[in-house]
């Protein structure tokens, strides 16, 4: 079993829809939770960063962390074609190593 | 543009060979991380350096080695290459030692034939 599980999709939605992405994990020591976005042929870029449990909102993006269920989510509201990318969850304990999910490929259709 | 520069962008070589990948971090970033991304394994952490010193090691093979130089650029050396080493190798940098925001380069795509 992988430390971080993420459904690779692909996920295809119409423009304006809400995109819902999630990851589960097995390591209860994870405290830092991140979502990265990766466009084709580019490196990942940080979208959201959360410490411990709770919700965080940034514009059209909302990240949720439920440590009791070992489950994190990312919601994208009013999705745009420019949101088409691969979304990777990542998490870390108190040290320096990030464990990434496999990534979910999202396509937003105009 | 993340500010992290990786060279070369593409590299094709044969099994048994040795290659060196180079990374220049963002100006002011002291931490450099190396990750390997393959279709079946996703992004895997290899190694981290902070201000010239090795700070954390992930699933890095013994055939691979890295270092960070006084000017903070880093090199990842891959030797005795195998077909399975074909992957995208990313360098990332950050200001801090711990899990803060990582800025990734565009990667070096290695193909081993």
């Amino acid at each position: 079993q992988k430390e971080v599980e993420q459904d690779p999709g692909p996920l295809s939605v119409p423009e304006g829809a809400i995109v819902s992405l999630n990851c589960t994990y097995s390591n209860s020591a994870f405290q830092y939770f991140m979502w990265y976005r990766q466009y084709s042929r580019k490196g990942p870029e940080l979208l959201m960063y959360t410490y411990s449990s709770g919700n965080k909102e940034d514009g059209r993006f909302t990240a949720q962390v439920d440590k009791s269920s070992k489950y994190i989510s990312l919601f994208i509201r009013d999705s745009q074609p420019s949101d088409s990318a691969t979304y990777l969850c990542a998490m870390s304990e108190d040290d320096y190593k990030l464990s990434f999910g496999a990534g979910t490929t999202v396509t937003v259709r105009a | 543009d993340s500010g992290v520069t990786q060279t070369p962008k593409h590299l094709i070589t044969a099994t048994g060979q040795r290659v060196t990948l180079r990374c220049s971090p963002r100006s002011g970033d002291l931490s450099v991380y190396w990750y390997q991304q393959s279709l079946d394994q996703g992004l895997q952490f290899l190694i981290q350096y902070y201000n010239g010193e090795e700070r954390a090691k992930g699933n890095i093979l013994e055939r691979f080695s890295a270092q960070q130089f006084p000017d903070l650029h880093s090199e990842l050396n891959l030797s005795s290459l195998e077909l399975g080493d074909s992957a995208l190798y990313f360098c990332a940098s950050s200001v801090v030692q711990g899990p803060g925001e990582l800025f990734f380069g565009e990667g070096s795509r290695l193909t081993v034939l």
Side-chain angles (χ1 to χ4, degrees):
Chain A
Q1 184 188 6
K2 290 183 179 179
E3 202 171 33
V4 181
E5 297 279 359
Q6 183 178 9
D7 186 342
L11 194 59
S12 179
V13 300
E15 184 175 356
I18 295 175
V19 176
S20 174
L21 305 166
N22 58 76
C23 290
T24 58
Y25 62 94
S26 56
N27 186 349
S28 57
F30 285 145
Q31 296 189 74
Y32 302 89
F33 303 92
M34 287 143 264
W35 286 94
Y36 280 80
R37 177 175 62 196
Q38 185 175 19
Y39 291 115
S40 180
R41 302 184 188 281
K42 298 289 187 182
E45 57 178 337
L46 183 69
L47 267 182
M48 301 287 281
Y49 182 103
T50 310
Y51 172 70
S52 194
S53 283
N55 294 356
K56 185 173 183 179
E57 193 171 313
D58 184 1
R60 297 184 295 110
F61 298 90
T62 300
Q64 292 183 348
V65 175
D66 182 349
K67 289 187 72 178
S68 62
S69 301
K70 297 191 183 69
Y71 185 90
I72 70 170
S73 303
L74 177 71
F75 299 95
I76 308 173
R77 291 184 299 280
D78 188 24
S79 57
Q80 305 295 309
S82 59
D83 295 325
S84 298
T86 296
Y87 291 81
L88 302 131
C89 62
M91 40 201 86
S92 178
E93 299 178 26
D94 213 7
D95 56 17
Y96 318 111
K97 182 172 82 80
L98 281 181
S99 295
F100 281 86
T104 301
T105 301
V106 174
T107 301
V108 180
R109 308 185 305 272
Chain B
D1 184 3
S2 67
V4 177
T5 304
Q6 287 188 249
T7 57
K9 291 194 186 308
H10 302 278
L11 193 54
I12 301 174
T13 189
T15 55
Q17 295 298 304
R18 172 189 168 96
V19 298
T20 297
L21 310 180
R22 182 188 169 98
C23 169
S24 293
R26 290 189 325 153
S27 177
D29 284 359
L30 300 179
S31 269
V32 170
Y33 305 75
W34 286 98
Y35 281 83
Q36 179 192 57
Q37 187 175 42
S38 58
L39 281 175
D40 56 342
Q41 294 290 324
L43 260 172
Q44 298 286 315
F45 170 71
L46 295 178
I47 197 163
Q48 183 218 356
Y49 283 84
Y50 178 79
N51 203 20
E53 292 188 8
E54 182 185 305
R55 283 308 173 106
K57 231 173 184 177
N59 300 323
I60 188 167
L61 299 172
E62 285 192 14
R63 300 183 285 109
F64 296 180
S65 64
Q67 53 183 326
Q68 186 180 27
F69 295 87
D71 67 352
L72 301 178
H73 92 270
S74 178
E75 292 181 357
L76 178 67
N77 299 297
L78 315 175
S79 61
S80 303
L81 286 168
E82 302 175 359
L83 296 177
D85 297 327
S86 296
L88 255 177
Y89 291 84
F90 284 105
C91 169
S93 72
S94 70
V95 174
V96 297
Q97 291 190 55
E101 179 173 4
L102 297 187
F103 294 87
F104 283 82
E106 296 198 349
S108 293
R109 182 172 294 280
L110 173 66
T111 302
V112 182
L113 301 176

